[in-house]
Amino acid sequence: MTLENRSVSKCSVLAFLAVLFSAGTLVAQVPLTEISTDPFTNSTSQHATEVEPASYAAGGTIVSVFQMGRFTDGGSSDIGFSTSTNGGTTWTHGNLPGITKIEGTGTYDRASDTSVTYNAKYKLWLAEVLALSESGGPHGAAVLVSSSTDGITWNNPATVSIVEPNGYYDKPWIGCDNHSASPFYGNCYVEWDDFSLGDLIEMSTSTDGGKTWSAKKTTTGSGAGNGGLPMVQPNGTVIVTIDDPFLSSVLAFKSTNGGTSWTSPVTVSSIMEHGVAGGMRALPLIAAQMDAAGTVYVVWADCRFRTNCSSNDIVMSTSANGTTWTAPARIPIDAVTSKADHFTPGFVIERTTSGSTARLGLTFNYFPNANCVTTCNLGVGYVASTNGGATWTKVKSLTSGINPNWLPSTTSGLMAGDYMTAAVPLGKVHAVFPGAQAPVGSTLNEAMFTNATGLEAAADEPQYSSANDKPVPNAHSDRPRRTQPHRDDER
């Protein structure tokens, strides 16, 4: 079954059972729901494409945001959203207004790097967006935040920060303090970097539900990094995990005073990177979440457990204070002798759980054969833990059979997204991910999907542990270290 004649407005449920793979068809072990497709037709970007979803759940509502109509040299035609108010059963989709000229009500040329959260104090959904200008070459021109009371009707965005002349903003993300006992309850924090200043880390804080934002601040010592993720502990301490500018190590910094000042970044771990095959743009950017007690879990693709760095596992490190971190542990998706490659993790924690009973969900892209060249078969997998990561379930394939050549191209490879996420409405996980099929003529055929029913780990599922796995002595990346900070188009 293909998706060529789909009706997105009805968000019809498409069930794909992983029995056989046939050219041009998505397959999966669970029923899937298509939740959005690219509506644009402008000739300057690639259609139909949707990439890089970010999702968040509050109660039974899930909101996912993503890029629509990806440009080869960075950004997209606009940011799309898809929202379910009944735990993922049905979905409503559309576009964020007031951002791009292509959408028709905005002033910027393109949009990129979007994330979403909920502010419990102000009862608002907040979607952060990187707005791009094409003047002088495509570049991150402003960080914006759109708001909505229901995740469906969105206001024109507020401006967090506008770049200085010759600047280049990149990779923003938003997080809010939803702890009613926190002295900073209701604060929201946005992190981004300025490539023109060596990926200088910049932060801004809102105390009024995202209407206005503070002047940007840097960390102590003017730290640099890329892809930071702000998370807030119950006492109001904000911990931000982030890659270094060269994507060769994981860092973390924090604020204990509501964003008035930020500490210098500390090192969480080095990153041992296996170069992903298939012409893919697959960067070792992190995903991170916080449990109910304030413990931070950070995951990334890493080859330190594989002989000769032959493929990537997904590894995890944790911290209760953002300063001291556990050694990276391998998530046992498969054996260290397997040929599979795992990358681009999406991660979620059920926010009411913590410690040894924390419920974790992990999505990831994978190639069954890390050494594929012209026969690469991209999929999305899922594993879960009900005990804080001590053991994990057997992998489920959410989709497979994607030829990388069906994905939009960028100046640094074929792109499903630099990140993806999952959400937990009503105690069950919904992953959101792009699914691509064979192009229709010269038009690409990539839409956004989720599992039709929520995923949960059954009590009798087999459990797998990596407690006895040790990194390979003298492990190191199999690709050269980047020589300049990363930016969206990575030219």
Side-chain angles (χ1 to χ4, degrees):
M1 179 184 296
T2 68
L3 302 182
E4 295 177 8
N5 297 316
R6 62 197 171 208
S7 175
V8 179
S9 62
K10 296 181 180 179
C11 286
S12 56
V13 176
L14 305 175
F16 303 97
L17 299 179
V19 179
L20 295 172
F21 165 64
S22 59
T25 303
L26 286 173
V27 292
Q29 289 179 314
V30 297
L32 301 180
T33 297
E34 180 186 300
I35 63 172
S36 176
T37 192
D38 172 13
F40 293 102
T41 58
N42 57 295
S43 61
T44 49
S45 53
Q46 302 166 87
H47 305 292
T49 63
E50 294 186 326
V51 301
E52 213 156 75
S55 308
Y56 197 88
T61 298
I62 317 168
V63 177
S64 185
V65 292
F66 34 83
Q67 298 182 48
M68 289 178 150
R70 176 73 189 187
F71 283 81
T72 299
D73 56 352
S76 68
S77 297
D78 194 33
I79 299 302
F81 72 87
S82 193
T83 297
S84 173
T85 59
N86 53 16
T89 302
T90 59
W91 296 78
T92 300
H93 64 94
N95 299 87
L96 297 187
I99 300 172
T100 69
K101 299 172 186 175
I102 296 170
E103 181 272 336
T105 63
T107 60
Y108 291 96
D109 297 311
R110 308 178 187 182
S112 188
D113 294 343
T114 183
S115 63
V116 65
T117 192
Y118 184 71
N119 188 310
K121 179 177 179 179
Y122 294 94
K123 296 180 173 53
L124 286 172
W125 291 93
L126 299 173
E128 160 276 313
V129 176
L130 178 66
L132 276 65
S133 171
E134 295 174 349
S135 177
H139 63 279
V143 178
L144 311 176
V145 170
S146 302
S147 64
S148 171
T149 57
D150 59 4
I152 296 172
T153 301
W154 293 85
N155 298 314
N156 286 339
T159 299
V160 178
S161 185
I162 296 175
V163 77
E164 292 85 354
N166 302 315
Y168 192 122
Y169 284 172
D170 199 11
K171 282 288 182 290
W173 201 268
I174 189 171
C176 293
D177 186 339
N178 287 327
H179 304 286
S180 59
S182 163
F184 311 110
Y185 178 48
N187 277 17
C188 292
Y189 306 93
V190 171
E191 186 279 338
W192 69 95
D193 67 86
D194 191 332
F195 173 81
S196 68
L197 299 175
D199 276 359
L200 178 70
I201 294 168
E202 298 180 329
M203 300 290 309
S204 181
T205 302
S206 175
T207 61
D208 58 7
K211 294 178 182 177
T212 61
W213 293 84
S214 70
K216 60 188 177 184
K217 298 179 182 294
T218 60
T219 69
T220 299
S222 298
N226 191 282
L229 306 172
M231 295 160 284
V232 187
Q233 293 182 306
N235 66 359
T237 294
V238 188
I239 298 174
V240 184
T241 53
I242 193 168
D243 282 61
D244 73 23
F246 307 100
L247 311 187
S248 61
S249 65
V250 182
L251 310 174
F253 62 95
K254 61 185 179 181
S255 173
T256 59
N257 53 20
T260 299
S261 62
W262 299 88
T263 66
S264 179
V266 300
T267 299
V268 174
S269 171
S270 60
I271 294 175
M272 307 298 177
E273 179 186 3
H274 166 73
V276 176
M280 288 287 294
R281 169 184 169 131
L283 307 169
L285 290 164
I286 60 169
Q289 291 280 308
M290 184 178 285
D291 71 13
T295 296
V296 179
Y297 297 66
V298 59
V299 299
W300 67 94
D302 195 290
C303 66
R304 73 185 64 207
F305 291 91
R306 303 281 178 150
T307 301
N308 298 323
C309 188
S310 57
S311 64
N312 292 303
D313 292 296
I314 306 299
V315 302
M316 182 171 73
S317 177
T318 66
S319 176
N321 58 16
T323 302
T324 57
W325 294 82
T326 61
R330 191 180 81 93
I331 296 175
I333 297 167
D334 49 26
V336 292
T337 55
S338 79
K339 296 181 179 180
D341 198 12
H342 320 82
F343 47 95
T344 319
F347 189 51
V348 69
I349 299 177
E350 189 173 347
R351 286 190 298 277
T352 58
T353 65
S354 63
S356 62
T357 59
R359 299 175 67 87
L360 319 178
L362 175 73
T363 60
F364 53 90
N365 286 132
Y366 68 90
F367 283 146
N369 179 6
N371 294 320
C372 62
V373 180
T374 59
T375 58
C376 293
N377 176 354
L378 181 68
V380 179
Y382 172 79
V383 292
S385 172
T386 59
N387 52 22
T391 60
W392 294 80
T393 61
K394 183 179 180 180
V395 65
K396 289 183 174 68
S397 177
L398 300 183
T399 190
S400 62
I402 298 174
N403 185 328
N405 291 318
W406 301 343
L407 303 174
S409 62
T410 75
T411 50
S412 52
L414 300 164
M415 183 183 186
D418 291 345
Y419 53 82
M420 61 177 166
T421 54
V424 190
L426 307 177
K428 297 183 180 182
V429 173
H430 273 269
V432 178
F433 52 89
Q437 294 193 103
V440 180
S442 60
T443 302
L444 294 175
N445 189 15
E446 180 189 43
M448 206 58 67
F449 288 84
T450 188
N451 40 291
T453 57
L455 299 168
E456 57 182 338
D460 59 349
E461 278 195 65
Q463 297 290 306
Y464 299 89
S465 171
S466 63
N468 295 322
D469 293 346
K470 306 297 181 186
V472 174
N474 302 313
H476 58 84
S477 301
D478 69 355
R479 57 153 292 154
R481 186 177 187 270
R482 291 171 178 82
T483 57
Q484 67 174 6
H486 167 72
R487 72 181 190 189
D488 184 63
D489 62 4
E490 205 177 45
R491 288 180 294 184

